[in-house]
Amino acid sequence: MADIQKQFEEFHDAIKLKRFKENEELREKRDIITKKIKKGVKTKFEEMEKDVPSLEFIDQGSYAVDLGIIPEDKDYDIDEGVIFDLYKEDYTDSVELKMIIRDILENHTNTPPKIKNPCVTITYSLDDEPAYHVDLPVYIKSKYDNNLYLAWGKEFSNQDNKHWDLADPEGLNDHIRNSFKDDAKKQFKRVVRYMKKWKDICFNSSGNSRPPSIGLTIAAVDLFSYKQSYNYLSGKFKDDDLGALKDLVSKLKNKFILKWDPDLEKSFYTIEYNLPVQPYSNVFSKMSNNQMDSFYQKLNELENALTEAESKSDPHEACKVLSPKYFGDKFPIPESKEARYQQVALSSAPSSNSAKGD
């Protein structure tokens, strides 16, 4: 079996996004937006002659849990939750506070802010192409419990599509952050990033055809197992990312069930995976039966490719199975054994001058 741990780790270093606190540009954009929201909320509520609510902000998404990758389309996604110290019982229209934030940030960038169902999105552009977008989910409290509620809905949605949804963003962060320790945690992060890059490479970015990153992440929290292999040369165990990734893919694939669709008169492989915190919703619910079936088939292809790579004796051949088809061109392919042997032979061959006498 070829040892390609070095290539996996080089691949990881190439796709890993720096932690939020280490990424000055992203941190700066977040801080500018949060300061502008605080100032704007104060001004708006004073204009309405209402008490100015206090605000809290919470890092969310891959930055908060240090699982970010460099996106294939270079459109970086930052999630920053905005928590109003207000009560949902006083705000029956869940979009009202989102509209306030939208108005505050109206001229913040060249692209107008957009109110989406789960958040307000601010887009930064570079050369007329999206370079960053900041998603701002809005939360509120309740007079009757200690939960947070997410503002759901768009500006012109009908009333049935505007509501406050139970949410626990900090609980979700903690669930992911605290799942593993030490070397197991390091390998877990690497494997999640491999899965995210595979998703970027192998799925169409439009619509809901891609499995959501949060779905891959919480599944990995449940299904990941730390893997090592024994190195007979060093007499030590070393991390085995190929084995850990293959194991995760196999376990995730086994979570699918075959479901009959009476309308299409066809069976599909489908999956349900619930959030481990409020509102305990299915993270794959936006995917159609056909999209989930495609997800299953692609997992099956990846599992077969990992098995084939594992069976190769030459690291060059093993890596060729995976790159670029499944992980893109950032996954390195070392020289073949033949090429290495030829180099050794050439370097050790006597020169024509050395054969001549003085």
Side-chain angles (χ1 to χ4, degrees):
M1 182 177 75
D3 179 3
I4 57 172
Q5 182 63 22
K6 179 186 176 202
Q7 283 72 35
F8 265 107
E9 291 184 5
E10 287 178 0
F11 174 53
H12 176 259
D13 290 343
I15 65 173
K16 177 186 177 183
L17 192 64
K18 288 182 178 179
R19 295 183 65 178
F20 196 98
K21 66 181 181 180
E22 296 168 352
N23 193 313
E24 185 176 348
E25 187 175 3
L26 298 184
R27 188 173 68 247
E28 183 180 293
K29 283 177 168 49
R30 177 202 63 182
D31 292 346
I32 290 171
I33 286 175
T34 55
K35 287 176 183 177
K36 197 164 188 175
I37 290 174
K38 285 181 180 178
K39 183 178 179 180
V41 166
K42 182 177 184 297
T43 301
K44 182 65 175 178
F45 275 74
E46 286 175 346
E47 288 175 353
M48 296 188 296
E49 298 183 348
K50 290 184 177 182
D51 292 337
V52 178
S54 62
L55 298 177
E56 296 177 60
F57 296 90
I58 176 174
D59 294 342
Q60 294 184 233
S62 59
Y63 295 96
V65 294
D66 188 25
L67 289 172
I69 65 168
I70 298 171
E72 198 70 16
D73 57 7
K74 305 302 180 188
D75 182 10
Y76 293 85
D77 176 13
I78 311 165
D79 299 286
E80 187 71 13
V82 185
I83 304 172
F84 282 80
D85 190 16
L86 295 170
Y87 300 115
K88 69 183 182 70
E89 289 78 15
D90 298 326
Y91 287 84
T92 53
D93 185 349
S94 61
V95 180
E96 182 177 347
L97 297 176
K98 292 165 79 172
M99 291 171 62
I100 289 174
I101 289 180
R102 187 271 315 274
D103 293 345
I104 291 169
L105 298 170
E106 185 66 42
N107 298 310
H108 184 66
T109 65
N110 294 329
T111 304
K114 185 175 182 180
I115 296 179
K116 299 180 179 179
N117 277 322
C119 62
V120 180
T121 296
I122 313 300
T123 300
Y124 291 84
S125 298
L126 181 65
D127 298 329
D128 297 324
E129 293 292 331
Y132 299 94
H133 69 268
V134 182
D135 289 334
L136 300 164
V138 174
Y139 300 96
I140 202 168
K141 301 178 181 180
S142 172
K143 295 177 180 179
Y144 304 112
D145 57 47
N146 296 318
N147 297 314
L148 288 180
Y149 292 82
L150 172 69
W152 185 270
K154 300 178 183 179
E155 183 174 3
F156 300 108
S157 296
N158 60 44
Q159 206 55 43
D160 289 341
N161 291 321
K162 293 182 180 180
H163 42 81
W164 294 103
D165 286 347
L166 268 170
D168 185 6
E170 191 60 56
L172 183 59
N173 285 347
D174 289 342
H175 177 79
I176 296 168
R177 284 196 200 110
N178 301 331
S179 296
F180 302 96
K181 295 180 180 179
D182 304 324
D183 288 343
K185 186 171 188 174
K186 291 177 184 177
Q187 189 181 69
F188 164 77
K189 288 182 177 183
R190 293 196 300 269
V191 167
V192 170
R193 289 190 176 104
Y194 303 151
M195 290 294 291
K196 287 185 175 184
K197 196 62 176 179
W198 164 74
K199 180 190 80 167
D200 274 4
I201 296 296
C202 294
F203 289 82
N204 191 311
S205 61
S206 63
N208 297 310
S209 60
R210 284 182 176 181
S213 291
I214 186 59
L216 296 177
T217 301
I218 64 165
V221 169
D222 291 344
L223 304 175
F224 168 80
S225 295
Y226 181 43
K227 298 292 183 184
Q228 290 187 304
S229 59
Y230 186 72
N231 187 311
Y232 290 94
L233 292 176
S234 66
K236 297 178 180 179
F237 283 94
K238 61 182 290 187
D239 284 358
D240 179 11
D241 287 9
L242 172 58
L245 179 59
K246 180 187 166 188
D247 180 67
L248 173 60
V249 170
S250 177
K251 289 176 179 175
L252 180 56
K253 196 183 78 167
N254 289 337
K255 290 293 180 180
F256 284 74
I257 61 170
L258 198 58
K259 179 180 178 181
W260 175 256
D261 187 323
D263 294 329
L264 297 177
E265 297 185 346
K266 183 180 177 181
S267 292
F268 294 92
Y269 281 100
T270 64
I271 185 170
E272 290 188 16
Y273 222 106
N274 295 334
L275 281 171
V277 297
Q278 297 278 12
Y280 305 110
S281 53
N282 176 18
V283 292
F284 297 115
S285 62
K286 288 186 178 180
M287 299 181 76
S288 67
N289 285 346
N290 195 53
Q291 288 167 340
M292 284 189 279
D293 192 84
S294 176
F295 179 21
Y296 174 86
Q297 302 303 336
K298 290 180 187 293
L299 279 172
N300 191 56
E301 291 173 12
L302 177 60
E303 182 184 29
N304 290 339
L306 293 169
T307 300
E308 182 181 353
E310 195 175 46
S311 71
K312 300 292 185 181
S313 59
D314 184 350
H316 173 81
E317 295 299 326
C319 292
K320 276 179 62 178
V321 175
L322 304 176
S323 175
K325 182 175 181 179
Y326 296 99
F327 295 127
D329 56 13
K330 291 290 193 296
F331 196 100
I333 301 176
E335 287 185 321
S336 66
K337 287 180 180 179
E338 288 182 0
R340 292 198 300 273
Y341 291 153
Q342 287 175 0
Q343 284 188 353
V344 171
L346 287 172
S347 63
S348 61
S351 65
S352 58
N353 290 334
S354 64
K356 297 177 180 179
D358 294 332

